Amino acid sequence: MRRDVRILLLGDDGVGKSTLITSLIKESFVANVQHVIPEVTIPPEVTPDNVTTHIVDTSSTCLTAKSVTMHGAISNKMNWQWLTNIFVLLYDLLARPEYRDTLETEIRKAHVICIVYAIDEPATFNRLSGHWLPYIRSLGVNVPVVLVGNKIDLRGDDVSNKCLEDEVVPIMNDFKEVETCVECSAKQPLNVSEVFYFAQKAVLHPTAPLYDSREHVLKPACVDALQRIFNLCDLDKDGILDDAELNEFQRKCFNAPLQLQELEAVKEVVKEHEPEGVNEIGLTEVGFLFLHTLFIQRGRLETTWTVLRQFGYGDDLTLRESFLCPRVEIPIDCSVELSPKGYQFFTELFQVFDKDKDSALKKSELEALFKTSPGNPWAHTAFPQTTITTELGAVTLQGFLAQWSMTTMLDYQLTLRYLAYLGFEGDTTTAIKVTRPRKIDRRKGKVQRNVFLCYVFGAPKSGKTSLLRGFLDKPFSDQYEPTARPFAVVNSVEIKGAEKYLVMEEFGTQYEAEVLQNKKRLDKCDLLCFVFDSSDVNSFSYVVNLRKKYHLEHMPSVFVATKSDSDLVLQRYEVQPDVYCRHLGLTAPISISVKSRQMADLFNILTAVAMCPSIATPAGFLDANSSTVRMKRYLTAVGVAGALIAVCLLGARLYRHHGPSS
């Protein structure tokens, strides 16, 4: 909501614009005021909505019919009043171009315009639609307008006008910018403060975005916003706001719960006018919309606007950018992860929408979950093939949290937006945390992050996609499909009793160069995984040439030999893979077979390397001390896995030679 309001008073000369301003300031009638009052500024502490208010007076740029008639009528009376009127007439005629420019400038600066007419001068009322409103439109200005009928004291004791609605409705139908009409008297004074209150209200709580005055219904954008708010407040997702949910809504928007009798009174009002709006449990969506229609029709637009703004909506009924994506400073070499609050929010969200309590979200449940957002944020990715699912493709809680972990690392702004869309309570930035820079982690030898990024490179048909699918326990397929676009997967990995998340991303030959030439993207990566097919003589040379071409010698790297279930062949390169790795000071390539599910504890090893990158950084890029201890650290990370694999292989050989024991 804006913090200042600029009110402009327009109207024919003599209708009482300057007198209205003076009566507001002095709180009493002042008989003789200057022709145009200088701009008045009212401090925020004396206004109902705590906003600074600027009130600007104007002089008419065009002579009214009344002015000409008045001057003609008194032309035969040689007195000082006649001379005064002549001087005013001449002044207006001479200064009109300057006045017009000044007036047009003020009209364009105004937030709301009050067009004043005199109730004893019908011509000034006729010029509302005949001159002033078309004139404002001709300038391309689209701000709310309040019609102000002054001098109601001239009606005598009965100042009310029962025909006002009939007189004003045709104008409001033709000019949608007209918010309301107020009659007042600057002389008594009567309704003077109301004039400026309604002007403020027209800016701070406008009718036009919410309500179609001609059809007497909420506008579609308003309906959409209120339906979204209803769904967010329906905490148990049963389609009804019970008393507890209504009170929580009341607390969030107005910082005060409703008493039991107040709740019952609200439901009785709805039941009387909209029977489908309430049932034995509480308020339905129909009833929620009806209440806001009623608020607007009774002039309580501030109630609906308070609700909308509390849930992040701006004056155009779209969610404010500052609400969706608050500013977060991300220092160089840092990444973003979910905080404990973030994981708790997504866990509780999962549990609420897991209606069949099978610990997985199927397609319909995911659609319901994303109902208050623009849709599934991963619709244009390979999701749900990017995370852990059941055999039927429903996303498990582990997979749901892993997917958000990956999203937050790769695009934290998307996570912030969806936290807002999905109803995170409070400041969404508390649901994420910025990690310590990687260089500091590496220098201290202790990585404090929980989510790691591994880029996977390799020749076509080397098994990269199968490797990523194997990370998620997806079924193996012999059918080869080339990687057409980047493909990322994520899963949790347990290291020393702590849960970490490993994101593995491959790019395919089409995008490899784009990634490897981009320093910023490489800096976000924790390690590189070079994959080659141990049964293809040319596969290893591909990754070696990739390392040389893009100068990747400084990056922590792990070499993986796939298809160990096939016949091993000599690689067509000057040295074999194990010798090449030994020359770099790295461990020999890890042999795996995704098809046979022989993974050699690869993903734990990759995560361990990400946590301690020095154990897999080429020797030429480490200091002497790091080189000395690297192998010890590496053996610590993979020793258990290697021992288990050796035992399994020995058991398999004994089985083949001796058969099963009796």
Side-chain angles (χ1 to χ4, degrees):
M1 187 171 72
R2 65 170 58 253
R3 303 316 309 164
D4 68 311
V5 174
R6 191 173 184 84
I7 303 172
L8 178 68
L9 269 65
L10 288 182
D12 296 337
D13 284 339
V15 296
K17 301 185 296 295
S18 303
T19 310
L20 274 173
I21 298 173
T22 305
S23 293
L24 176 73
I25 299 168
K26 301 292 186 181
E27 296 185 346
S28 62
F29 176 65
V30 180
N32 297 310
V33 299
Q34 62 193 89
H35 187 58
V36 178
I37 299 293
E39 181 178 322
V40 173
T41 299
I42 301 175
E45 56 268 19
V46 297
T47 62
D49 290 290
N50 195 36
V51 294
T52 302
T53 304
H54 307 276
I55 302 175
V56 181
D57 192 13
T58 62
S59 175
S60 176
T61 61
C62 301
L63 292 174
T64 64
K66 173 204 177 227
S67 301
V68 176
T69 303
M70 177 185 70
H71 289 295
I74 64 173
S75 61
N76 295 324
K77 298 181 181 179
M78 296 300 294
N79 54 33
W80 286 108
Q81 182 62 45
W82 179 82
L83 287 173
T84 301
N85 289 330
I86 289 295
F87 281 129
V88 171
L89 174 61
L90 289 172
Y91 183 79
D92 282 348
L93 286 169
L94 292 172
R96 190 183 303 169
E98 179 182 346
Y99 269 155
R100 183 180 295 113
D101 291 343
T102 301
L103 183 62
E104 290 182 2
T105 298
E106 289 297 345
I107 289 173
R108 290 190 169 94
K109 288 165 61 178
H111 300 142
V112 57
I113 297 173
C114 293
I115 308 179
V116 185
Y117 64 93
I119 62 107
D120 64 325
E121 295 286 347
T124 62
F125 179 82
N126 294 335
R127 278 172 54 80
L128 296 176
S129 56
H131 170 69
W132 288 112
L133 287 165
Y135 176 53
I136 294 168
R137 278 192 177 179
S138 72
L139 300 177
V141 173
N142 183 22
V143 296
V145 173
V146 176
L147 306 181
V148 180
N150 192 21
K151 305 184 183 181
I152 59 174
D153 54 282
L154 297 179
R155 288 200 186 110
D157 294 336
D158 186 9
V159 297
S160 62
N161 180 7
K162 296 178 181 178
C163 299
L164 179 62
E165 184 175 349
D166 294 335
E167 294 169 355
V168 173
V169 165
I171 298 176
M172 295 181 73
N173 286 338
D174 291 337
F175 298 92
K176 292 298 184 183
E177 56 269 38
V178 177
E179 287 276 326
T180 189
C181 181
V182 186
E183 289 193 333
C184 64
S185 169
K187 187 174 183 179
Q188 286 191 340
L190 183 66
N191 284 350
V192 174
S193 60
E194 280 77 4
V195 169
F196 297 96
Y197 167 72
F198 280 113
Q200 270 191 353
K201 190 174 177 181
V203 177
L204 303 176
H205 313 298
T207 303
L210 306 183
Y211 191 71
D212 187 328
S213 300
R214 180 177 295 174
E215 301 295 331
H216 303 292
V217 294
L218 297 176
K219 288 188 174 179
C222 180
V223 172
D224 290 344
L226 291 173
Q227 285 176 333
R228 175 179 173 271
I229 291 169
F230 179 89
N231 287 322
L232 289 175
C233 295
D234 179 16
L235 302 178
D236 58 7
K237 309 306 172 188
D238 64 350
I240 299 167
L241 297 185
D242 59 28
D243 288 356
E245 290 167 336
L246 278 170
N247 260 324
E248 178 60 23
F249 163 77
Q250 184 76 8
R251 180 203 61 77
K252 179 179 175 69
C253 295
F254 305 103
N255 201 30
L258 290 170
Q259 299 300 318
L260 180 60
Q261 57 268 31
E262 292 174 317
L263 279 170
E264 293 303 320
V266 168
K267 288 188 278 190
E268 281 300 319
V269 170
V270 175
K271 188 175 182 180
E272 180 182 351
H273 296 90
E274 188 64 68
E276 294 182 3
V278 66
N279 61 23
E280 65 279 2
I281 299 175
L283 196 68
T284 67
E285 186 180 280
V286 171
F288 188 73
L289 294 174
F290 167 77
L291 276 178
H292 285 281
T293 303
L294 195 63
F295 292 147
I296 294 168
Q297 290 174 342
R298 293 183 177 179
R300 291 175 54 189
L301 287 97
E302 64 274 12
T303 301
T304 299
W305 274 116
T306 298
V307 171
L308 290 166
R309 286 173 178 140
Q310 186 62 44
F311 281 85
Y313 287 92
D315 289 349
D316 60 354
L317 290 189
T318 62
L319 290 170
R320 301 187 306 272
E321 190 63 23
S322 60
F323 172 76
L324 288 175
C325 197
R327 186 176 179 82
V328 180
E329 292 293 336
I330 311 298
I332 296 174
D333 203 33
C334 294
S335 61
V336 182
E337 299 178 358
L338 288 174
S339 69
K341 275 189 176 181
Y343 281 115
Q344 179 182 356
F345 173 76
F346 285 120
T347 299
E348 292 175 353
L349 194 70
F350 180 98
Q351 292 168 344
V352 167
F353 284 93
D354 180 19
K355 289 297 185 181
D356 55 10
K357 303 304 177 187
D358 64 348
S359 300
L361 296 180
K362 52 180 177 284
K363 185 178 179 180
S364 61
E365 291 170 332
L366 281 169
E367 288 175 352
L369 188 150
F370 290 119
K371 187 177 180 180
T372 59
S373 76
N376 190 322
W378 313 300
H380 300 295
T381 70
F383 180 84
Q385 297 303 311
T386 55
T387 192
I388 299 297
T389 64
T390 66
E391 292 182 358
L392 297 176
V395 180
T396 65
L397 176 60
Q398 178 188 353
F400 190 67
L401 296 180
Q403 186 74 21
W404 281 114
S405 299
M406 176 168 67
T407 301
T408 306
M409 165 178 267
L410 299 179
D411 187 358
Y412 75 90
Q413 292 180 328
L414 182 61
T415 295
L416 284 176
R417 287 178 175 275
Y418 271 79
L419 285 164
Y421 289 138
L422 300 174
F424 181 84
E425 183 74 23
D427 181 3
T428 54
T429 61
T430 62
I432 63 172
K433 63 178 182 179
V434 179
T435 67
R436 195 166 65 179
R438 288 177 173 83
K439 289 182 180 178
I440 295 179
D441 275 346
R442 291 168 184 171
R443 186 170 66 246
K444 290 181 176 292
K446 184 178 180 181
V447 176
Q448 295 184 336
R449 290 177 294 119
N450 295 307
V451 187
F452 303 97
L453 179 59
C454 173
Y455 288 163
V456 181
F457 297 104
K461 299 185 179 182
S462 59
K464 301 184 298 296
T465 303
S466 293
L467 173 63
L468 268 59
R469 287 178 57 82
F471 185 32
L472 305 177
D473 289 326
K474 303 291 185 186
F476 177 80
S477 174
D478 284 313
Q479 184 176 356
Y480 172 70
E481 292 184 13
T483 302
R485 61 179 183 177
F487 175 52
V489 300
V490 60
N491 200 352
S492 58
V493 178
E494 187 175 322
I495 300 290
K496 295 182 179 179
E499 189 174 53
K500 308 293 181 180
Y501 289 96
L502 179 63
V503 178
M504 301 184 70
E505 188 170 13
E506 63 152 321
F507 305 94
T509 55
Q510 184 178 352
Y511 296 98
E512 276 182 350
E514 178 185 334
V515 174
L516 293 172
Q517 290 173 342
N518 189 324
K519 185 178 183 301
K520 286 185 177 180
R521 293 195 69 173
L522 282 177
D523 287 344
K524 292 180 179 179
C525 174
D526 293 290
L527 77 155
L528 303 180
C529 178
F530 292 106
V531 176
F532 66 95
D533 180 355
S534 61
S535 64
D536 180 351
V537 296
N538 297 310
S539 190
F540 182 69
S541 62
Y542 181 91
V543 293
V544 173
N545 292 332
L546 209 61
R547 286 189 75 248
K548 290 181 179 179
K549 181 178 180 179
Y550 296 104
H551 307 289
L552 304 175
E553 293 83 1
H554 64 291
M555 294 291 296
S557 303
V558 174
F559 286 81
V560 177
T562 60
K563 306 183 184 180
S564 62
D565 55 309
S566 301
D567 292 335
L568 181 68
V569 298
L570 290 175
Q571 294 294 314
R572 194 170 291 160
Y573 189 67
E574 57 191 43
V575 294
Q576 292 305 297
D578 56 337
V579 177
Y580 177 85
C581 290
R582 191 161 58 247
H583 286 168
L584 293 176
L586 302 177
T587 187
I590 301 171
S591 294
I592 66 167
S593 169
V594 179
K595 184 177 182 179
S596 302
R597 295 185 178 274
Q598 297 173 1
M599 302 306 295
D601 208 25
L602 172 64
F603 307 115
N604 285 67
I605 293 171
L606 293 174
T607 307
V609 168
M611 293 176 65
C612 188
S614 62
I615 63 176
T617 302
F621 290 86
L622 292 172
D623 56 42
N625 182 59
S626 296
S627 298
T628 303
V629 302
R630 176 175 48 190
M631 191 55 66
K632 291 181 181 179
R633 290 179 176 175
Y634 188 82
L635 290 174
T636 300
V638 305
V640 173
L644 287 173
I645 294 166
V647 170
C648 291
L649 290 174
L650 178 60
R653 288 171 185 159
L654 289 171
Y655 184 92
R656 285 198 299 270
H657 284 288
H658 303 288
S661 57
S662 56

